[in-house]
Amino acid sequence: MAPRTDFPPIRACLFDMDGLLLDTEDIYTLCVNELLRKHKKEKFPLPWSIKAQLQGRPGPAALDIFHNWADLPITREQYKEEYYALQAQKFQFTTALPGVEELLQKLGSTRYWDLKGDATTTQDNAATTNGATQKPSQKPHRVHIALATSSHEANFRMKTNHLTELFSVFETHRRVLGDDKRIPEGRGKPLPDIYLIALKTINDSLPEGEKPITPEECLVFEDSIPGVEAGRRAGMRVVWCPHPMLKQEVDKNGDVKLVLAGLLNQAEIEQKKAQAGLTNGTTETDTEKSGEADNKEPGEIDDGWAEYLPSLIDFPYEKYGIHIPDEAVDQEPSMKETAKIDEGEVLQAVQTEVVEN
């Protein structure tokens, strides 16, 4: 089909975290491989064909897939205890992936258009939007951002307690974590709930007079296959920026276009497992509540709603109708403020249910 090209400018960017913002996927693999080497050498190392199925999913679903494959000679409780201990050692050294800091900083700088209050589309303004001349019909606007990660709160803190400045751009009320009570039981990725909730957190806190943001005005950033499907099922545009080894695995079967369209049917697989009683994270009752929307195809091949990027370096803002102010505006007094973190919030690692992402 001919790809759609008449999209409205992006007004909100919604971010996954593990493997997208943070270089945690190799740490997850390292932890798993240490336990495989210790308890089941014949399964070592963890193949990417299995790893790809674990990424992006809520903890119970990921653990089901892993244990059904690994068939370890230890209980799940012992595995989780040892796995957590390894994570506690290694997650304190997580770092941002290439391009992430600049991307978040530039998106955060778009609040300048709100602070300025009289943003116009004159040639003068065009000259200050990252060197690109903007179309007269596109008025510079703020791009709101939110976090949507399957990591539970304590796991999130474990990975980010040394990266508070990086994550300060995500206002606390615009962070949706895997154990958020607003996500119904069994409704994690690849289902769309977490991204729809993230959008709601933005719309519920928009400045007075700003019209609500629609799903098609949102851009989801994902590295996992279930995450891409979740974004597509939410009716949002998606940037897929996977681990190089995941991309290599997908390329083996020529499935890139299927991934971008959300057509690997991860949600359907989850529902069938639930109906068979094979997945802890979902029940048949949950799937009955999901509604007809889950049964619709999330996208079509080459429909223009999603694209693959090898990294987030030199992100093409203009392609998405995003106007980045000149760097000089960051020195203005009104731009010195940063996203607020709850007063007294302490980012510390505490034991929680171990999740893959």
Side-chain angles (χ1 to χ4, degrees):
M1 67 175 299
R4 179 178 171 181
T5 58
D6 62 342
F7 291 103
I10 290 298
R11 296 175 58 206
C13 290
L14 312 180
F15 289 88
D16 175 49
M17 183 178 73
D18 287 286
L20 187 282
L21 298 178
L22 298 183
D23 189 10
T24 53
E25 286 303 334
D26 289 336
I27 295 178
Y28 275 119
T29 303
L30 180 61
C31 292
V32 171
N33 279 337
E34 286 194 26
L35 295 179
L36 288 176
R37 186 187 293 111
K38 178 180 179 181
H39 296 292
K40 197 126 183 179
K41 290 184 179 179
E42 61 268 32
K43 293 286 189 176
F44 173 86
L46 177 71
W48 265 95
S49 59
I50 299 299
K51 169 80 172 177
Q53 300 178 48
L54 307 179
Q55 289 182 295
R57 297 179 186 274
L63 283 173
D64 279 341
I65 294 170
F66 174 75
H67 284 287
N68 289 337
W69 167 79
D71 191 25
L72 298 176
I74 58 175
T75 65
R76 291 194 180 198
E77 289 69 28
Q78 181 180 344
Y79 172 81
K80 288 164 65 175
E81 181 179 348
E82 295 184 21
Y83 190 34
Y84 169 78
L86 290 171
Q87 288 183 343
Q89 295 173 17
K90 302 179 187 303
F91 277 143
Q92 60 184 308
F93 302 111
T94 55
T95 58
L97 283 162
V100 167
E101 293 186 36
E102 180 179 355
L103 173 62
L104 294 181
Q105 186 276 323
K106 287 190 173 181
L107 290 177
S109 74
T110 63
R111 70 186 186 280
Y112 170 74
W113 303 123
D114 272 359
L115 296 172
K116 186 176 181 181
D118 61 348
T120 63
T121 53
T122 63
Q123 182 62 37
D124 288 341
N125 276 338
T128 65
T129 54
N130 208 30
T133 301
Q134 307 295 339
K135 297 179 181 179
S137 61
Q138 293 185 351
K139 182 177 180 179
H141 60 275
R142 178 179 181 177
V143 176
H144 300 272
I145 64 175
L147 186 70
T149 173
S150 295
S151 280
H152 289 203
E153 182 176 2
N155 234 0
F156 168 77
R157 294 171 184 268
M158 190 192 310
K159 299 165 187 172
T160 63
N161 62 350
H162 59 295
L163 298 170
T164 54
E165 183 176 355
L166 178 68
F167 280 85
S168 67
V169 296
F170 296 104
E171 297 176 76
T172 305
H173 62 279
R174 292 182 176 181
R175 301 175 184 180
V176 184
L177 308 184
D179 53 353
D180 192 303
K181 300 301 183 184
R182 293 169 294 185
I183 303 175
E185 177 96 18
R187 296 288 301 175
K189 302 172 187 179
L191 298 175
D193 300 54
I194 192 169
Y195 282 116
L196 294 173
I197 293 169
L199 173 56
K200 187 177 187 300
T201 68
I202 293 176
N203 280 332
D204 287 349
S205 56
L206 288 176
E208 184 176 355
E210 184 171 350
K211 68 178 182 178
I213 298 170
T214 64
E216 72 172 356
E217 293 175 309
C218 295
L219 183 62
V220 166
F221 288 79
E222 267 287 354
D223 71 302
S224 73
I225 294 173
V228 172
E229 182 172 337
R232 293 303 315 266
R233 288 187 177 278
M236 301 172 180
R237 300 170 72 183
V238 178
V239 165
W240 182 44
C241 186
H243 190 289
M245 293 302 294
L246 175 59
K247 178 61 161 51
Q248 181 176 312
E249 188 68 27
V250 171
D251 284 340
K252 287 180 182 178
N253 300 317
D255 286 343
V256 171
K257 290 186 176 182
L258 289 175
V259 171
L260 295 177
L263 293 178
L264 288 186
N265 297 318
Q266 298 295 311
E268 179 182 346
I269 292 171
E270 291 300 316
Q271 290 173 352
K272 289 180 178 179
K273 287 182 178 179
Q275 292 166 357
L278 298 176
T279 302
N280 287 341
T282 312
T283 66
E284 185 170 0
T285 300
D286 294 324
T287 61
E288 291 172 352
K289 295 178 180 178
S290 63
E292 294 183 0
D294 291 346
N295 296 321
K296 296 180 180 178
E297 296 289 9
E300 298 182 29
I301 298 294
D302 293 330
D303 59 11
W305 283 73
E307 73 166 317
Y308 158 74
L309 290 180
S311 81
L312 296 179
I313 297 174
D314 296 328
F315 184 75
Y317 303 97
E318 292 84 0
K319 178 178 181 179
Y320 292 95
I322 299 174
H323 303 242
I324 304 300
D326 189 272
E327 292 181 2
V329 305
D330 288 333
Q331 303 307 314
E332 296 187 13
S334 60
M335 290 290 287
K336 295 293 186 179
E337 298 180 3
T338 60
K340 296 180 180 178
I341 298 178
D342 284 345
E343 184 177 357
E345 179 176 317
V346 179
L347 297 180
Q348 61 184 102
V350 293
Q351 188 163 0
T352 187
E353 180 178 22
V354 177
V355 295
E356 167 59 20
N357 275 341

